[in-house]
Amino acid sequence: MTKRFLSLAVLLALLTGLVAGCVQPAPMAPAESAAPAAAGDAGASAATDAAPGAIQPGGTWTRVTIADASIINPILSSDSASSAVEAMLFPGLIGQDPVTGEFTPDGSMSESWTVSEDGLTWTFKLRDGITWSDGDPVDAADFKYTYDAIASDLVETVRKSLVEPIESITVVDPLTVEVKFREVRCDAITNVGLGWLPSHLYAADFSDIMTSPLNDEPAVSAGPFAFQSWTRDDNTILVRNQGYWEGAPNMDGMIYRIVPDAGARLAQLQSGEVDTVGIEPAQLTAVQGNPDINVYRFEDDGYDYIALNQANPANPQPGKDENGNLISQDPHPILGDLAVRQAIAQAVDYTSIIENVYLGQGYQIASNVLPAVSWAHDSELPPYAYNPDQARQLLEGAGWVDGNNDGIREKDGQALRLTLLTNAGNKTREDLGVLVQDQLNAIGFDITFEAIDFGTMVDRMLGQTYDMVIIGWTGLGADPNDDAFWKSDFDTPGSGFNFVSFQSARIDELLTQGVTVPGCAPEDRAPIYKEIQQIIHEQAPYIFISGGVGNIGYRNNWGNVDPGPWSFYWNVHTWYNRALQP
């Protein structure tokens, strides 16, 4: 999800000007290098690329992000830039197979887990001898503290949905934790995968979590790297964690460089200034055949869409009151009309967009469950087809007409006027916005399209003070449950992921049923998720644009890089710089 450039010479000149007078960021190398992991410790896949003999450590991996992190705290962040940094610092209870997506103890704090006969209690046995970088043990108390903090009224976080189904967390002993769910949940394990906080550094009553300086400067790590510095809107630097439990990384550190412009990102990859960037569709031809750059292509677990706010952006309200009763929403004056949403869905030329904006690096989807989750995906549900005549008929039937022949429809004195937002610097989304603007204006809308700062866009989106926004979900996982996007419980202005204010008692009921089917057999869950897809498709709270196809470009001077569709960095501690090897 990224994209274009000027000439390489002009770009490099611009980049030189930007960094003139500044010291280039670099990790501060540790005084002594820990013994590097032996090649054979890298795992079966990585071992095929291991250097002969002992690996010579050193070098820095530089990666690029479009926007800066917002915070470095896994229970408070809600953006991918923050999560990318957190993944290298904070340990988790479960791991995930990089190829299949199945949950596994590998790479996690768990050695194993078991489930009680009634399906309610999950018992996790933790690894012994793992410590935070200050020497304090990483244990069950950290896990419990993290999830208790999420549940606390003192902590404002979009992660509340993770603790809602949990009845209790019990520390049996430092290396054993029991999680009891309120009801059988077929996706229970997905709720316990968040990174842990170092409980020994926070107040026991959670009173300092929202304002802790650790949110900007994490003092300890139990991941492969430790925090060194964060220069806002420029870079974040991590250094090797010498005490990492899987073996100290071979590289000295990792730099996250903020480069909003897609062309500049590509130029820096080509010149070797950075080691990896996301390759946008229009950039593929520029890197194909380059002997110094590898391209990893994969269908990711996400999709791009246009969110349609169904509630009045001038009066955002939660979906439920404190007693759990539905709150009748003040509808959006335009998008609260189902006919308008369905008209938008049929006014978008998906085929043209996927061919010309995504350059074939995408595929049309009908609803919210991706084909990769084959047992739950409704393959018989047809996506909306491009039919501008039908879209016009829907608008006219709903009373939206162009009474003064100015090309803009009106109803009861209200013009069919909306603002469409996306994040600046994402060329694919910017190009998509221009096309959607033209296609909707062609049937009588008056669309203003704005590409704005990512953080500002997220604030407006979560705050529900927008009309339409082009955005995407990724990292959806191998289970079809996505209740945080649709349930009324998560329609919470300022924090909830149901920021379209979608409200349906039937959807609330089905989403609960989908994760509580006795036995959790896919064949019993599938009909529930297919009905959900059909309702979402009909109600059109999202305009589903394209299933995700990703392309990651990376320099080939690093060994043991073995990306999978579910994780690029799963074995990062084993990577080594080929140029440093004897």
Side-chain angles (χ1 to χ4, degrees):
M1 305 176 184
T2 33
K3 330 5 173 183
R4 171 164 23 220
F5 58 95
L6 313 167
S7 74
L8 179 61
V10 172
L11 268 176
L12 292 177
L14 288 173
L15 290 170
T16 301
L18 285 173
V19 300
C22 300
V23 177
Q24 290 300 294
M28 185 179 296
E32 296 181 5
S33 294
D41 293 337
S45 297
T48 60
D49 188 33
I55 291 176
Q56 177 64 41
T60 302
W61 176 270
T62 302
R63 54 197 289 189
V64 169
T65 61
I66 298 174
D68 199 4
S70 59
I71 196 168
I72 309 178
N73 181 319
I75 74 170
L76 300 181
S77 64
S78 60
D79 60 282
S80 58
S82 298
S83 296
V85 177
E86 293 159 359
M88 298 296 163
L89 305 175
F90 300 100
L93 188 63
I94 56 175
Q96 192 170 23
D97 187 286
V99 176
T100 68
E102 295 180 5
F103 293 108
T104 171
D106 294 345
S108 77
M109 295 298 96
S110 295
E111 283 191 336
S112 63
W113 57 76
T114 57
V115 184
S116 62
E117 289 187 7
D118 62 8
L120 291 175
T121 303
W122 294 59
T123 302
F124 297 86
K125 294 292 185 179
L126 307 184
R127 300 180 191 275
D128 193 8
I130 299 178
T131 65
W132 295 97
S133 52
D134 64 356
D136 200 85
V138 177
D139 58 24
D142 294 317
F143 172 78
K144 178 173 170 58
Y145 181 88
T146 299
Y147 277 76
D148 286 350
I150 295 172
S152 171
D153 292 337
L154 297 178
V155 177
E156 298 177 13
T157 171
V158 297
R159 309 295 180 186
K160 297 291 186 185
S161 62
L162 296 178
V163 299
E164 190 243 352
I166 296 176
E167 179 176 307
S168 64
I169 296 174
T170 302
V171 175
V172 178
D173 60 53
L175 298 179
T176 309
V177 62
E178 287 183 355
V179 182
K180 185 175 182 179
F181 291 87
R182 301 183 190 280
E183 54 191 357
V184 174
R185 284 192 61 93
C186 302
D187 67 338
I189 199 167
T190 65
N191 286 68
V192 295
L194 203 62
W196 302 358
L197 297 178
S199 59
H200 64 292
L201 298 183
Y202 288 92
D205 64 355
F206 319 115
S207 58
D208 60 348
I209 286 180
M210 297 299 298
T211 58
S212 174
L214 300 177
N215 296 335
D216 294 328
E217 297 183 2
V220 297
S221 169
F225 298 94
F227 177 83
Q228 176 174 297
S229 66
W230 182 8
T231 303
R232 291 278 186 172
D233 299 318
D234 189 85
N235 68 80
T236 302
I237 301 177
L238 308 182
V239 294
R240 178 193 300 121
N241 179 3
Q242 301 283 51
Y244 180 52
W245 66 276
E246 289 191 287
N250 295 314
M251 65 178 69
D252 291 330
M254 180 177 289
I255 297 174
Y256 299 73
R257 181 181 292 181
I258 315 306
V259 183
D261 181 76
R265 293 193 294 272
L266 178 63
Q268 291 186 21
L269 177 68
Q270 292 172 316
S271 69
E273 292 178 73
V274 301
D275 293 288
T276 183
V277 302
I279 301 293
E280 301 184 0
Q283 297 175 332
L284 285 170
T285 56
V287 296
Q288 288 171 345
N290 187 323
D292 299 321
I293 297 174
N294 296 325
V295 177
Y296 176 61
R297 184 185 189 278
F298 60 100
E299 289 189 3
D300 66 28
D301 55 337
Y303 53 81
D304 282 358
Y305 63 97
I306 305 173
L308 306 182
N309 190 358
Q310 296 186 42
N312 188 345
N315 184 29
Q317 300 178 66
K320 288 186 175 181
D321 63 22
E322 61 274 11
N323 297 317
N325 301 311
L326 287 174
I327 296 176
S328 181
Q329 298 291 295
D330 179 8
H332 192 289
I334 296 174
L335 296 172
D337 187 338
L338 174 60
V340 173
R341 299 196 302 273
Q342 291 179 336
I344 293 173
Q346 295 180 71
V348 174
D349 188 347
Y350 304 93
T351 300
S352 175
I353 286 169
I354 290 172
E355 290 179 356
N356 297 306
V357 176
Y358 291 84
L359 301 183
Q361 302 295 304
Y363 57 95
Q364 192 178 356
I365 57 175
S367 197
N368 59 308
V369 177
L370 292 170
V373 190
S374 58
W375 61 267
H377 173 69
D378 188 350
S379 60
E380 296 182 1
L381 184 64
Y384 280 103
Y386 177 49
N387 191 337
D389 290 337
Q390 178 64 26
R392 293 185 181 96
Q393 291 177 23
L394 283 168
L395 292 173
E396 289 168 7
W400 294 96
V401 297
D402 182 7
N404 57 7
N405 295 316
D406 65 350
I408 302 172
R409 297 176 183 271
E410 305 90 16
K411 179 181 179 180
D412 300 330
Q414 168 81 52
L416 196 57
R417 181 172 293 118
L418 297 165
T419 299
L420 173 64
L421 303 177
T422 198
N423 54 300
N426 187 315
K427 188 63 168 57
T428 294
R429 291 178 186 166
E430 290 178 349
D431 288 349
L432 172 60
V434 172
L435 277 183
V436 169
Q437 178 187 36
D438 291 345
Q439 290 167 5
L440 295 183
N441 286 349
I443 65 166
F445 283 84
D446 181 14
I447 302 295
T448 297
F449 172 56
E450 298 178 4
I452 63 176
D453 171 74
F454 182 76
T456 302
M457 184 195 71
V458 170
D459 288 343
R460 292 185 60 180
M461 186 172 66
L462 292 179
Q464 301 180 14
T465 58
Y466 71 98
D467 295 325
M468 305 189 296
V469 61
I470 297 171
I471 192 65
W473 291 122
T474 190
L476 295 177
D479 192 276
N481 180 44
D482 56 358
D483 55 3
F485 304 161
W486 313 115
K487 259 193 168 183
S488 303
D489 307 66
F490 307 120
D491 176 4
T492 52
S495 62
F497 284 157
N498 182 1
F499 44 74
V500 294
S501 285
F502 183 74
Q503 193 173 81
S504 165
R506 179 59 177 163
I507 284 290
D508 286 351
E509 177 185 8
L510 288 168
L511 285 167
T512 298
Q513 290 178 6
V515 293
T516 57
V517 173
C520 296
E523 59 268 25
D524 295 329
R525 299 179 69 198
I528 297 170
Y529 287 102
K530 289 182 179 180
E531 184 178 346
I532 291 171
Q533 291 166 74
Q534 292 160 8
I535 294 173
I536 296 295
H537 178 266
E538 178 187 358
Q539 292 296 311
Y542 287 3
I543 306 301
F544 294 94
I545 298 297
S546 175
V549 173
N551 292 280
I552 299 176
Y554 60 98
R555 304 287 298 185
N556 65 8
N557 57 312
W558 290 88
N560 278 353
V561 182
D562 186 24
W566 295 92
S567 176
F568 191 89
Y569 289 95
W570 67 275
N571 68 333
V572 66
H573 60 289
T574 73
W575 298 2
Y576 62 91
N577 190 319
R578 289 193 173 103
L580 300 179
Q581 305 313 305

